């Protein structure tokens, strides 16, 4: 069983929802990332999404765009990101790590070499934002061959046919984009999100995560009632940004943010949401 | 390995938008459904007699088509070789070829019930052409433009605002055309229900490279007929500048099956290809994925897109339309480049010999034709796509002469 499948099975057994924070690798500097990952886990994160910086992050809002720019100021590359995962794995063999980014750095690295290097570094899944399953067959085969899960987005605009096609290509979990917009965009209307998640569940037995627009512990708790994973990106990255010139304070701040979200989500679970 | 079958070019792209290994649909999932909707609408209306009649009437009465072919006799004589002809897209309403496409897409937007259009722009020509058709059709219009371009194309920014468009300066990344495109995509993903994104070049996810080509191919269809009518034969060579490549594909496409016609696309070599400060992905880049399609890109060894340099804001783009990437690989078109200095010299040459002030983009095509003509016989001919007029470039050219207007 893959690390992701094992983690989700254990959480499901315990009746808990996964908390999945996102940070951009190399933000605010390269040495900061691994301590931040450990702090996120200590605060209650179940899976870590690690953003691979890209010069043209078309699907991201201003917060994650700026994180990419900070990371690229000192040329954080895909190879550097894999080094960080390898470093993280020296003391954490359990927490699944998912890379999230854009296709072009992987195109340049080459699908085969990238898949092998990612698996060797301890990467569990890859989510390539601008690679829908329609174009992604070759990369999917290569990653799966190396034992790496392929995670895909489902959007509010995805109809039943697309949902079926995406779920057929996905492994690890399915990522539902909770709003029409970029990462970190405005307020969520939870009713339609819950409906869509139910629709996705009809198409797959994989866990369904929800992200884009989860700003605080309260929203995280509300989403935890119907999702298998709550993915929090911009809210985490904006903490990093606020402390970019005091990097020592970032890990404890992220730990606190995770604890608050964890507490709220577990309380929601205890009320018998799901 | 150029193919001999003249009908084959019309078969591209395939149903999923591929030109050989290039093109395709590389976007976040949210945009897959609106792209499907656009594809279906375009498939329907591209064959709809009423739509085509309205498009034809607008191109005639509003744009001023057909644009003439002009024999640049004095320039030809001075260069001492092939006869040079200009396809006068500079005489179109709004001063460039861009409006051929914005008219088509705006008519489509209206039929699809979209009330708001968005566009990206570099030099401002596509932004002006979009704002123009939006004003005429009464649609809301938002134009994204890199902050650097806003500063160097003040006059076009003012024109867009006069036309009622909102111009949004883009402050992310390199603050130029590629970042404006990113921002327009972000707007579209947020407002997919009521918004139509008018992409200005033959790049982006399918169906844009095909659709924009089809709307621009009026240039080549007219030119082919005009040259046949005038000379009784086709030109020996076509020359057009290539940034994203919409004016070039518009001229080239109807000639692709005419294998005796040599085709040259001219990229911006900026300070020179060897300096790395240029905008010539076909000449000095490599394949990758950006802005929804696979094509040649300017990128570093980590796969990050690098900044481009050209005196011409309209060519200052790190990618190129996927059909050009394919035409390069199969050898049907040749892609060459000229430097800023050569383009500026050609700007002055055409202005002084023919009394036609070309856009800096089009000056790149003139510069290459000026190299090519002396190698050809006087009974041969070169057709240049004069894609735009140079009024917008007065400040840039003056600054290069050390003058301030």
């Amino acid at each position: 069983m893959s690390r992701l499948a094992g983690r989700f099975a254990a959480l499901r057994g315990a009746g808990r929802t996964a908390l999945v924070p996102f940070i951009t690798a190399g933000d605010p500097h390269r040495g900061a990332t691994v301590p931040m990952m450990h702090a996120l886990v200590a605060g209650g994160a179940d899976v870590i999404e690690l953003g691979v910086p890209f010069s043209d992050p078309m699907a991201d809002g201003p917060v994650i765009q700026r994180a990419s720019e900070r990371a690229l100021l000192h040329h954080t590359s895909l190879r550097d990101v894999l080094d960080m995962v390898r470093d993280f794995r020296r003391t954490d063999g359990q927490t699944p790590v998912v890379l999230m980014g854009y296709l072009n750095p992987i195109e340049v690295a080459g699908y085969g070499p990238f898949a092998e290097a990612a698996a060797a570094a301890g990467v569990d899944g890859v989510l390539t934002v601008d690679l829908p399953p329609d174009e992604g067959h070759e990369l999917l085969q290569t990653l799966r061959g190396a034992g790496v899960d392929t995670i895909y987005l489902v959007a509010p605009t995805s109809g039943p046919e697309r949902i079926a096609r995406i779920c057929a290509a996905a492994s690890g979990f399915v990522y539902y984009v909770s709003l029409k917009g970029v990462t970190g965009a405005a307020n969520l209307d939870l009713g339609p999100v819950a409906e869509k998640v139910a629709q996705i569940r009809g198409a797959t037995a994989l866990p369904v995560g929800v992200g884009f627009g989860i700003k605080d512990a309260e929203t995280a708790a509300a989403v935890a009632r119907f999702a298998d994973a709550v993915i929090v990106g911009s809210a985490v990255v904006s903490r990093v940004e606020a402390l970019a010139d005091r990097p020592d304070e970032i890990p404890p701040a992220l730990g606190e943010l995770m604890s608050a979200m964890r507490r709220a989500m577990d309380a929601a679970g205890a009320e018998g949401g799901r | 390995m150029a193919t001999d079958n003249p009908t084959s070019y019309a078969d591209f792209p395939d149903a999923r938008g591929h030109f050989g290994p290039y093109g395709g649909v590389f976007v976040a999932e949210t945009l897959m459904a609106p792209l499907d909707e656009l594809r279906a609408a375009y498939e329907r209306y591209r064959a709809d007699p009423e739509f085509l009649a309205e498009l034809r009437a607008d191109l005639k009465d509003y744009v001023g088509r057909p644009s003439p072919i002009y024999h640049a006799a004095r320039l030809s004589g001075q260069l001492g070789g092939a006869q040079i002809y200009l396809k006068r897209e500079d005489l179109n309403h709004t001063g460039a070829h861009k409006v051929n496409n914005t008219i088509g897409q705006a008519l489509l937007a209206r039929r699809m019930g979209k009330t708001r259009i968005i566009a990206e722009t570099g030099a401002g020509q596509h932004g002006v052409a979009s704002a123009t058709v939006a004003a005429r059709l009464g649609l809301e219009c938002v134009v994204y433009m890199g902050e650097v371009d806003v500063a160097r194309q003040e006059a076009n920014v003012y024109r867009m605002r006069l036309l009622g468009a909102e111009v949004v300066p883009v402050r992310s990344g390199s603050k130029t055309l590629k970042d404006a495109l990113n921002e327009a995509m972000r707007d579209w993903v947020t407002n997919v229900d009521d918004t139509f994104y008018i992409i200005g070049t033959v790049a982006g996810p399918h169906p844009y490279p095909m659709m924009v080509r089809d709307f621009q191919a009026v240039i080549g269809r007219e030119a082919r007929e005009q040259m046949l009518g005038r000379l009784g034969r086709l030109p020996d060579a076509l020359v057009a500048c290539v940034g994203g490549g919409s004016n070039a594909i518009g001229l080239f496409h109807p000639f692709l099956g005419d294998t005796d016609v040599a085709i040259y696309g001219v990229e911006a070599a900026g300070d020179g290809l060897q300096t790395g400060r240029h905008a010539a992905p076909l000449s000095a880049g490599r394949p990758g994925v950006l802005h929804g399609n696979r094509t040649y890109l300017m990128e570093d060894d980590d796969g990050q897109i690098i900044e481009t340099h050209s005196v011409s804001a309209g060519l200052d783009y790190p990618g190129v339309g996927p059909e050009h990437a394919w035409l390069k690989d199969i050898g049907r078109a040749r892609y060459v480049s000229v430097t800023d200095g050569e383009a500026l010299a050609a700007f002055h040459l055409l202005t002084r010999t023919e009394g036609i002030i070309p856009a800096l983009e089009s000056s790149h095509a003139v510069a290459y034709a000026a190299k090519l003509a002396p190698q050809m016989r006087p009974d041969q001919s070169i057709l240049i796509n004069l894609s735009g007029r140079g009024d917008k470039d007065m400040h840039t050219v003056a600054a290069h002469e050390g003058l301030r207007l």
Side-chain angles (χ1 to χ4, degrees):
Chain A
M1 190 183 279
S2 76
R3 223 181 256 127
L4 272 169
R7 177 57 52 105
F8 276 107
L11 286 165
R12 193 170 277 185
R16 296 175 84 198
T17 299
L19 174 58
V20 185
F22 168 99
I23 56 173
T24 298
D27 169 35
H29 63 85
R30 277 191 243 191
T33 302
V34 174
M36 281 160 60
M37 292 168 78
H38 288 306
L40 290 166
V41 174
D46 300 295
V47 176
I48 290 181
E49 266 195 21
L50 197 55
V52 180
F54 183 51
S55 52
D56 294 81
M58 285 194 317
D60 285 300
V63 170
I64 294 176
Q65 287 173 44
R66 289 195 299 266
S68 246
E69 287 177 15
R70 285 192 296 274
L72 289 175
L73 271 181
H74 39 263
H75 307 286
T76 306
S77 67
L78 182 54
R79 193 173 305 130
D80 296 329
V81 179
L82 296 180
D83 286 343
M84 293 171 195
V85 176
R86 190 176 301 112
D87 194 7
F88 173 75
R89 282 274 170 258
R90 288 197 304 203
T91 52
D92 188 329
Q94 276 81 50
T95 309
V97 174
V98 172
L99 299 189
M100 181 169 181
Y102 295 80
L103 182 58
N104 202 48
I106 298 175
E107 288 258 321
V108 170
Y111 291 179
F114 165 69
E116 277 171 41
V123 169
D124 301 290
V126 171
L127 196 177
T128 313
V129 176
D130 56 349
L131 186 67
D134 317 57
E135 298 278 359
H137 188 69
E138 191 187 338
L139 182 58
L140 179 146
Q141 298 286 86
T142 313
L143 287 169
R144 294 285 192 85
V148 177
D149 280 319
T150 49
I151 292 139
Y152 289 100
L153 303 173
V154 172
T157 52
S158 310
E161 268 175 44
R162 285 209 61 80
I163 291 176
R165 165 182 275 208
I166 294 163
C167 289
S171 65
F173 66 98
V174 174
Y175 186 138
Y176 180 60
V177 173
S178 55
L179 47 78
K180 293 175 191 165
V182 292
T183 52
N187 301 323
L188 278 188
D189 182 359
L190 290 175
V193 177
E195 271 174 42
K196 200 79 175 192
V197 168
Q199 197 186 339
I200 297 168
R201 287 193 193 287
T204 182
L206 289 171
V208 181
V210 172
F212 280 45
I214 296 173
K215 288 187 156 41
D216 48 30
E218 194 187 348
T219 322
V223 171
R225 289 172 197 272
F226 56 82
D228 299 305
V230 173
I231 304 156
V232 190
S234 298
V236 179
V237 174
S238 57
R239 301 287 165 105
V240 177
E241 177 164 58
L243 296 169
D245 55 351
R246 285 170 285 158
D248 292 350
E249 296 176 30
I250 296 174
L254 296 191
E256 279 166 35
L257 178 64
M258 286 302 101
S259 305
M261 289 194 158
R262 184 79 265 170
R263 275 195 305 274
M265 286 164 59
D266 288 349
E271 287 165 27
R274 264 192 317 125
Chain B
M1 69 193 214
T3 167
D4 290 328
N5 180 357
T7 60
S8 65
Y9 295 102
D11 297 338
F12 286 86
D14 68 17
R16 289 163 60 224
H18 296 114
F19 300 89
Y22 303 108
V25 184
F26 294 87
V27 296
E29 177 59 24
T30 310
L31 290 179
M32 293 301 285
L35 284 167
D36 273 338
E37 185 195 359
L38 175 61
R39 200 152 47 233
Y42 181 60
E43 285 304 327
R44 176 179 162 196
Y45 289 113
R46 74 187 298 192
D48 176 60
E50 218 171 282
F51 177 81
L52 293 173
E54 189 176 352
L55 178 61
R56 256 195 309 275
D58 278 0
L59 290 176
K60 177 171 175 284
D61 301 334
Y62 191 67
V63 177
R65 303 204 70 89
S67 66
I69 292 273
Y70 170 74
H71 179 208
R74 227 163 84 78
L75 177 66
S76 307
Q78 196 164 319
L79 293 169
Q83 301 306 307
I84 292 179
Y85 292 83
L86 307 177
K87 178 63 172 165
R88 297 291 309 274
E89 292 299 300
D90 61 316
L91 295 178
N92 291 343
H93 179 44
T94 71
H97 71 289
K98 291 291 186 188
V99 73
N100 301 328
N101 168 50
T102 59
I103 291 255
Q105 289 199 49
L107 291 180
L108 192 56
R110 197 170 58 175
R111 277 175 171 69
M112 290 173 73
K114 307 292 182 183
T115 55
R116 176 174 179 269
I117 67 174
I118 57 172
E120 84 294 338
T121 198
Q125 291 304 102
H126 174 59
V128 167
S130 299
T132 298
V133 297
R136 175 159 175 269
L137 297 179
L139 301 170
E140 183 189 348
C141 180
V142 177
V143 179
Y144 291 93
M145 189 169 186
E147 199 173 45
V148 170
D149 293 330
V150 168
R152 64 180 168 179
Q153 300 287 342
E154 268 176 89
N156 269 345
V157 172
Y158 186 59
R159 283 169 84 191
M160 287 183 265
R161 288 183 174 144
L162 282 177
L163 289 159
E166 180 190 351
V167 180
V168 180
V170 176
R171 299 188 172 88
S172 58
S174 61
K175 306 177 178 62
T176 58
L177 177 56
K178 78 174 178 74
D179 309 283
L181 218 149
N182 292 336
E183 206 55 36
M185 285 277 186
R186 292 180 188 122
D187 179 312
W188 196 28
V189 92
T190 308
N191 301 292
V192 288
D193 296 330
D194 68 345
T195 297
F196 189 104
Y197 179 15
I198 301 188
I199 294 187
T201 192
V202 285
H206 182 60
Y208 283 101
M210 173 181 78
M211 178 171 69
V212 176
R213 174 198 74 194
D214 293 349
F215 287 136
Q216 291 294 0
V218 66
I219 300 172
R221 282 197 306 272
E222 284 177 7
R224 200 170 178 284
E225 207 172 292
Q226 288 165 320
M227 291 301 281
L228 281 173
R230 186 151 180 161
L231 302 180
R233 58 190 168 80
L234 297 174
D236 296 285
L238 306 177
V239 181
C241 64
V242 177
S246 70
N247 90 82
I249 211 76
L251 177 65
F252 297 169
H253 198 260
F255 289 92
L256 289 176
D258 302 312
T259 45
D260 292 342
V261 179
I263 295 179
Y264 298 92
V266 187
E267 294 192 297
D271 292 344
L273 293 185
Q274 74 289 351
T275 66
R277 291 173 50 83
H278 58 81
L282 290 168
S283 306
R286 55 183 169 177
V289 171
L290 178 71
H291 291 155
N293 66 108
R294 182 178 282 119
T295 187
Y296 280 82
L297 298 175
M298 307 251 313
E299 60 183 9
D300 67 15
D301 291 339
D302 296 333
Q304 308 297 345
I305 307 308
I306 55 181
E307 286 187 32
T308 52
H309 296 274
S310 171
V311 66
S312 146
L315 301 182
D316 219 345
Y317 179 65
V320 63
E323 192 162 8
H324 288 294
W326 179 64
L327 292 175
K328 171 192 160 77
D329 281 11
I330 64 171
R332 178 61 190 101
R334 285 182 58 191
Y335 293 89
V336 296
S337 63
V338 306
T339 63
D340 284 355
E342 291 170 322
L344 283 162
F347 173 94
H348 290 297
L349 177 66
L350 188 67
T351 301
R352 290 294 179 91
T353 53
E354 299 290 349
I356 295 172
I357 302 179
L360 284 172
E361 290 77 11
S362 320
S363 299
H364 286 70
V366 175
Y368 189 74
K371 291 186 192 183
L372 194 60
Q375 304 166 31
M376 294 167 66
R377 297 187 313 269
D379 63 335
Q380 292 184 299
S381 61
I382 298 173
L383 177 62
I384 301 174
N385 197 7
L386 201 72
S387 56
R389 59 176 174 247
D391 306 39
K392 70 183 174 56
D393 295 316
M394 292 298 104
H395 283 83
T396 307
V397 175
H400 273 265
E401 322 265 283
L403 302 173
R404 210 186 136 72
L405 301 186

